């Protein structure tokens, strides 16, 4: 393992240790719902989603410098991934149980802060349900450029191996994913493509299909919301841009008070250089990427043009 990867894993462990303790975990679900209804009147909630490589952990670190804010992403990775898996198959059997888990995290945040900020890439196929049930102040979408997402997912090993599973069918967890449930439930989702076609294409082609279909699903959901309820965070402009992030946070009705110098140091523990490692594509990979990424670029433009995405 190279130095950059070891360094990232070290800082990522440090980041994971800052995860807020859910003091309501295991509480009766009826009680969680009751407390949520009582507290939401005087508290604030933001819900955030992204596809990948959107700067989510970095943004959490920035937000947690603000007094009275508790922000964190991927608090319950396995459950969140299973939620996306179910939603992609239009299976609603897990919705209520998952909603109660999310509510328990929020009311736990509200015990010590007025603002709870929850984030997960796995919300992508069920944003509308969470919005309708939780009534957050805003939905935040982290939107990186296609190349950033593709590079990160490739370097993380997405779709590296062909799995003997039909992505069009709701399946039980294969034994080889025990201990890494989110790698199956978060990735092998229903992507509206014939299973035979999906299995025949390259790793890069699969990643491009996942990206395009997921961003399409996100757009379809947020386009049904009032425009002023959606805020876009564009990593390409935000990256180490103090002014952009300060203005973005201002639109949450919050104030970023740390100095630019301190702001610029935050990224080091949540961004791994190995995720951005460059590589060459084969002719087949390049052709498949160009073919399947078109839909991502189409919805990327629509989201940037139709929602509040300019914070310079």
């Amino acid at each position: 393992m190279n130095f950059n990867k070891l360094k990232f894993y070290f800082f990522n462990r440090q980041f994971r240790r800052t995860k807020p303790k859910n003091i309501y975990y295991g509480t009766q679900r009826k009680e969680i719902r009751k407390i949520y209804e009582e507290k939401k009147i005087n508290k604030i909630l933001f819900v955030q989603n992204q596809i990948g490589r959107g700067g989510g952990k970095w943004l959490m670190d920035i937000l947690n410098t603000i007094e009275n804010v508790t922000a964190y992403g991927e608090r319950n990775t396995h459950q969140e991934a299973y939620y996306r898996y179910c939603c992609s198959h239009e299976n609603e059997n897990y919705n209520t149980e998952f909603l109660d888990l999310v509510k328990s995290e929020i009311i736990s945040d509200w015990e010590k802060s007025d603002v709870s900020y929850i984030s997960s890439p796995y919300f992508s196929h069920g944003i509308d349900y969470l919005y309708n049930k939780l009534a957050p102040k805003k939905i935040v979408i982290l939107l990186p450029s296609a190349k950033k997402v593709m590079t990160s997912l490739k370097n993380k090993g997405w779709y590296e191996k062909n799995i003997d599973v039909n992505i069009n069918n709701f399946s039980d967890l294969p034994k080889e994913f025990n201990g890494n449930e989110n790698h199956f439930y978060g990735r092998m989702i229903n992507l509206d493509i014939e299973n035979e076609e999906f299995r025949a294409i390259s790793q890069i082609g699969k990643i491009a299909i996942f990206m395009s279909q997921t961003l399409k699903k996100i757009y379809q959901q947020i386009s049904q919301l009032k425009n002023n309820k959606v805020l876009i965070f564009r990593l390409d402009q935000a990256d180490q841009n103090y002014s952009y992030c300060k203005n973005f946070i201002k639109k949450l009705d919050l104030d970023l008070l740390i100095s630019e110098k301190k702001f610029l140091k935050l990224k080091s523990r949540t961004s791994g250089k190995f995720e951005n490692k460059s590589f060459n594509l084969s002719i087949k990979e390049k052709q498949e990427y160009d073919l399947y990424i078109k839909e991502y670029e189409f919805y990327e433009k629509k989201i940037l043009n139709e929602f509040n995405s300019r914070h310079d």
Side-chain angles (χ1 to χ4, degrees):
M1 188 178 292
N2 64 38
F3 175 75
N4 285 328
K5 188 172 283 191
L6 283 170
K7 182 181 176 182
F8 172 75
Y9 286 151
F10 170 77
F11 282 114
N12 192 51
R13 281 197 300 271
Q14 297 296 105
F15 176 80
R16 299 302 294 183
R17 287 173 182 169
T18 67
K19 177 183 175 181
K21 182 180 180 180
N22 183 351
I23 64 173
Y24 286 101
Y25 187 81
T27 301
Q28 290 289 326
R29 290 164 60 185
K30 185 177 180 181
E31 182 67 12
I32 288 170
R33 296 169 196 168
K34 177 177 176 290
I35 296 171
Y36 186 85
E37 292 303 312
E38 292 172 350
K39 286 186 175 293
K40 73 176 185 180
I41 299 169
N42 298 311
K43 299 288 187 176
I44 297 170
L45 170 67
F46 296 102
V47 174
Q48 178 178 283
N49 180 234
Q50 67 193 84
I51 291 181
R53 195 65 189 98
K57 293 176 184 174
W58 174 55
L59 183 54
M60 297 301 101
D61 262 0
I62 296 170
L63 289 166
N64 280 320
T65 68
I66 302 171
E67 187 178 1
N68 224 10
V69 173
T70 299
Y72 201 81
E74 294 185 52
R75 301 175 186 225
N76 301 282
T77 305
H78 295 168
Q79 294 92 330
E80 291 167 11
Y82 186 62
Y83 175 68
R84 169 152 77 185
Y85 185 76
C86 291
C87 289
S88 78
H89 287 280
E90 298 182 354
N91 184 328
E92 299 180 357
N93 292 340
Y94 186 57
N95 282 12
T96 304
E97 182 180 342
F98 180 68
L99 180 66
D100 290 336
L101 175 61
V102 174
K103 283 182 175 179
S104 73
E105 294 283 356
I106 296 166
I107 60 176
S108 184
D109 289 351
W110 283 343
E111 283 294 323
K112 57 182 177 291
S113 305
D114 286 335
V115 178
S116 173
Y117 195 110
I118 61 170
S119 171
S120 177
Y122 300 117
F123 293 161
S124 59
H125 287 61
I127 297 171
D128 49 357
Y129 176 77
L130 295 177
Y131 178 84
N132 290 331
K133 296 297 183 181
L134 297 173
K137 184 172 181 177
K138 285 189 186 296
I139 293 285
V140 176
I141 305 296
L142 273 57
L143 184 61
S145 61
K147 186 177 180 181
K148 283 183 180 292
V149 182
M150 182 272 287
T151 300
S152 177
L153 298 186
K154 167 71 165 65
N155 285 327
K156 288 177 178 176
W158 278 56
Y159 304 121
E160 206 163 31
K161 299 177 182 178
N162 253 332
I163 308 300
D164 187 20
V165 64
N166 190 331
I167 63 169
N168 303 130
N169 296 335
F170 191 93
S171 305
D172 293 330
L173 181 74
K175 291 181 180 178
E176 60 262 39
F177 286 94
N178 285 334
N180 286 303
E181 291 84 353
N182 58 304
H183 287 186
F184 177 79
Y185 290 129
R187 303 175 185 183
M188 303 305 292
I189 60 175
N190 183 0
L191 295 170
D192 292 326
I193 182 174
E194 289 297 324
N195 192 61
E196 292 75 14
E197 180 183 352
F198 186 75
R199 287 180 59 82
I201 62 178
S202 68
Q203 177 191 17
I204 295 297
K206 290 181 174 74
I207 288 171
I209 289 171
F210 167 83
M211 291 168 56
S212 290
Q213 291 301 315
T214 301
L215 191 60
K216 176 182 177 180
K217 186 67 176 178
I218 290 171
Y219 174 79
Q220 289 173 338
Q221 294 171 92
I222 63 174
S223 63
Q224 301 303 309
L225 307 180
K226 291 182 179 179
N227 192 277
N228 64 357
K229 287 293 186 179
V230 180
L231 198 59
I232 309 302
F233 183 84
R234 180 68 161 170
L235 179 61
D236 301 66
Q237 275 90 50
D239 194 7
Q240 295 297 70
N241 186 333
Y242 182 71
S243 176
Y244 180 100
C245 291
K246 192 175 181 69
N247 290 335
F248 165 82
I249 288 170
K250 192 72 175 175
K251 292 177 182 179
L252 299 175
D253 294 324
L254 300 171
D255 290 314
L256 182 63
L257 299 178
I258 60 170
S259 67
E260 184 171 4
K261 183 178 180 180
K262 185 174 181 181
F263 165 84
L264 293 173
K265 292 180 179 179
L266 290 173
K267 187 180 174 183
S268 62
R269 74 173 190 152
T270 56
S271 178
K273 289 184 179 179
F274 81 92
E275 293 182 346
N276 301 315
K277 182 181 177 182
S278 61
F279 47 82
N280 295 320
L281 300 182
S282 68
I283 293 174
K284 180 178 187 292
E285 288 174 330
K286 180 70 165 60
Q287 290 174 339
E288 289 180 350
Y289 179 77
D290 290 343
L291 173 64
Y292 292 117
I293 208 63
K294 289 178 182 177
E295 206 161 17
Y296 182 97
E297 293 171 339
F298 173 77
Y299 285 105
E300 176 187 28
K301 289 178 182 177
K302 286 183 74 66
I303 290 172
L304 291 174
N305 291 331
E306 294 178 21
F307 297 96
N308 191 341
S309 64
R310 295 172 178 83
H311 316 303
D312 292 315

